[in-house]
Amino acid sequence: MSNFIQNTLSGLKKLLDNNNRMKTISHEGEVGIVSCSFNAPIQTTEIEMFERENNIKLPEDYKAFLTLHNGARIYESIDEDGDKLGDGLEIFSLDEIKEYQEIEYLSEHGIPIAHLLEDCYLILDTDKLMGGDPNYLNIMEFTDLSSLNLNFEIFLDRYIISQGEAFWSWPIYTAENYYRTR
């Protein structure tokens, strides 16, 4: 099992209160309250069966996550009334992956493993996985697919460190254009 995944999640959980909530700070000092929830783990035999059924070998770091939590919601915003808003990162369970694979515009690009922000999906690029490329994680923003040049554990670590912000878009914001894009 990847200690990287386990250490990242353990660090996040240490910051959560007894209700699995925490305060975050985002751009320009905005403070919010978020919730994190984690599904029960899944057995490696179930992962192996999924791989056989889909004729794919999932990456080791992603399988390590599944053996800790078969799905999760990370940094789901909480409004003033205490209601969850449904945003943040939703990492799918294996059953949910099967459901999302039935959506053609997602599955034609690989294996959808998570939903985040408003209309973004994380997708395992099966061609890169079969070719041994360690940068197998893609993001589909609306209908635009692009490589994140990351694997799952690095993405998860950076997402948690950035407190749910779209860290992958940070390089495009400069002192010249940042204020025009707000």
Side-chain angles (χ1 to χ4, degrees), residues 39-86:
N39 295 356
I42 194 167
Q43 298 297 314
T44 55
T45 54
E46 293 175 80
I47 296 170
E48 291 165 355
M49 187 168 56
F50 176 87
E51 289 177 316
R52 277 193 306 278
E53 289 172 359
N54 292 279
N55 197 28
I56 186 69
K57 181 146 177 53
L58 295 172
E60 292 302 317
D61 58 343
Y62 183 65
K63 290 194 286 190
F65 173 82
L66 292 171
T67 61
L68 294 170
H69 300 290
N70 184 25
R73 293 210 62 133
I74 299 175
Y75 294 141
E76 184 175 15
S77 298
I78 306 293
D79 68 12
E80 300 82 27
D81 296 325
D83 296 326
K84 295 179 181 180
L85 300 179

Side-chain angles (χ1 to χ4, degrees), residues 39-153:
N39 295 356
I42 194 167
Q43 298 297 314
T44 55
T45 54
E46 293 175 80
I47 296 170
E48 291 165 355
M49 187 168 56
F50 176 87
E51 289 177 316
R52 277 193 306 278
E53 289 172 359
N54 292 279
N55 197 28
I56 186 69
K57 181 146 177 53
L58 295 172
E60 292 302 317
D61 58 343
Y62 183 65
K63 290 194 286 190
F65 173 82
L66 292 171
T67 61
L68 294 170
H69 300 290
N70 184 25
R73 293 210 62 133
I74 299 175
Y75 294 141
E76 184 175 15
S77 298
I78 306 293
D79 68 12
E80 300 82 27
D81 296 325
D83 296 326
K84 295 179 181 180
L85 300 179
D87 59 352
L89 174 64
E90 177 186 9
I91 303 171
F92 303 143
S93 68
L94 283 184
D95 286 339
E96 290 169 323
I97 289 171
K98 291 175 189 176
E99 291 173 24
Y100 279 93
Q101 282 183 298
E102 294 177 15
I103 302 172
E104 187 175 338
Y105 78 93
L106 293 175
S107 62
E108 69 185 343
H109 299 291
I111 301 172
I113 61 165
H115 180 260
L116 67 153
L117 305 174
E118 292 185 20
D119 283 317
C120 298
Y121 291 91
L122 291 181
I123 298 178
L124 301 177
D125 186 320
T126 51
D127 291 335
K128 287 182 178 180
L129 285 171
M130 288 189 289
D133 187 337
N135 296 304
Y136 59 78
L137 196 59
N138 291 338
I139 189 165
M140 179 178 279
E141 298 181 79
F142 301 103
T143 58
D144 295 330
L145 184 72
S146 57
S147 175
L148 289 171
N149 292 313
L150 299 171
N151 61 13
F152 177 74
E153 67 187 1

